[in-house]
Amino acid sequence: MRLTETIRAYQKNDPAARSGLEIFLLYNGLHATIYYRFAHWFYLHHMRFIARWLSQRAKRRTGVEIHPAATIGRRLVIDHGTGIVIGATAIIGDDCLLYQGVTLGGTGAGHGKRHPTLGNNVMVGSGAKVLGPFTVGDNAKIASNSVVLREVPPNCTVVGIPGHIVRVGGEKLDHIHTPDPIQLEINELQARIEALEKQLQEKENDHVSL
């Protein structure tokens, strides 16, 4: 049963979860996903008003807004379940993990695909915004408060505003010690300046000695 495997996914990803019953009764993220499954069924069967009514009811009760037209795979975990927005043309693969405040949004009011596609086993940190009709590859990790505006290859870690790839592959993302891509660029520029100053000083010394 899919509900059972989703509860197990919550137990796997949340060390604070004590039992499956607690998750079923108390976890907003799971409740939002259950609402979505019903709303999506009505949406696919052309009962769009009922679908939207269910999605808005879920938003009021859980703090999670999932458009009923979105496509969501199996075992989605929404941790803390507050302030999440998932747009109409968003696609989410299997075994994804979303933290609070995540937005899977669009960048305009045009028709067609407007929202991102997340591959399988993608983690999106709290407050991150993924905006636009591109793909985030399998096993990718997006750090907290990042703003991602372009495609992310599989197995990459993205950090910053706008998002930069700071790691390909590697271990589980550490939100506390995540590299700052802007600081890394500044450090690189400082190193280049110091190297140029050293070369200039050496030339001046050579000139004086002559």
Side-chain angles (χ1 to χ4, degrees):
M1 182 179 178
R2 291 195 174 188
L3 179 58
T4 300
E5 68 180 20
T6 301
I7 290 174
R8 288 174 180 165
Y10 273 85
Q11 290 176 310
K12 177 182 176 182
N13 285 281
D14 185 359
R18 295 180 296 179
S19 70
L21 181 62
E22 181 183 77
I23 293 169
F24 177 71
L25 294 177
L26 302 178
Y27 276 49
N28 274 354
L30 179 63
H31 298 165
T33 304
I34 293 172
Y35 270 109
Y36 158 77
R37 299 295 181 192
F38 284 105
H40 187 61
W41 186 91
F42 281 109
Y43 191 90
L44 293 179
H45 289 81
H46 307 290
M47 290 179 271
R48 305 287 172 84
F49 179 84
I50 297 176
R52 288 291 285 164
W53 181 83
L54 281 172
S55 70
Q56 292 305 299
R57 180 176 175 83
K59 176 186 175 182
R60 290 192 297 272
R61 294 197 62 180
T62 68
V64 177
E65 182 172 3
I66 306 175
H67 195 286
T71 301
I72 297 177
R74 300 172 70 170
R75 298 177 295 277
L76 172 66
V77 173
I78 299 176
D79 198 351
H80 295 291
T82 301
I84 286 177
V85 177
I86 299 174
T89 62
I91 300 173
I92 300 176
D94 297 335
D95 301 301
C96 290
L97 172 59
L98 308 181
Y99 287 91
Q100 68 271 19
V102 165
T103 298
L104 304 182
T107 55
H111 297 286
K113 186 80 164 75
R114 307 185 306 280
H115 304 91
T117 295
L118 306 188
N120 298 323
N121 195 38
V122 172
M123 191 283 294
V124 185
S126 58
K129 315 300 178 189
V130 187
L131 308 175
F134 54 82
T135 298
V136 177
D138 294 349
N139 308 306
K141 300 174 181 65
I142 298 173
S144 299
N145 294 317
S146 298
V147 178
V148 183
L149 301 173
R150 58 184 178 181
E151 186 165 342
V152 178
N155 305 303
C156 289
T157 299
V158 175
V159 177
I161 304 174
H164 290 74
I165 295 172
V166 296
R167 185 182 303 156
V168 178
E171 301 177 355
K172 183 177 179 180
L173 177 61
D174 179 352
H175 291 280
I176 297 175
H177 302 101
T178 300
D180 181 348
I182 304 302
Q183 186 62 50
L184 292 175
E185 290 184 9
I186 292 173
N187 292 343
E188 183 178 346
L189 288 172
Q190 287 178 334
R192 291 178 62 184
I193 291 171
E194 289 174 0
L196 290 172
E197 288 178 342
K198 182 179 180 181
Q199 291 178 12
L200 182 61
Q201 186 64 44
E202 289 175 350
K203 288 183 179 180
E204 289 178 350
N205 293 338
D206 291 341
H207 180 73
V208 170
S209 63
L210 292 175

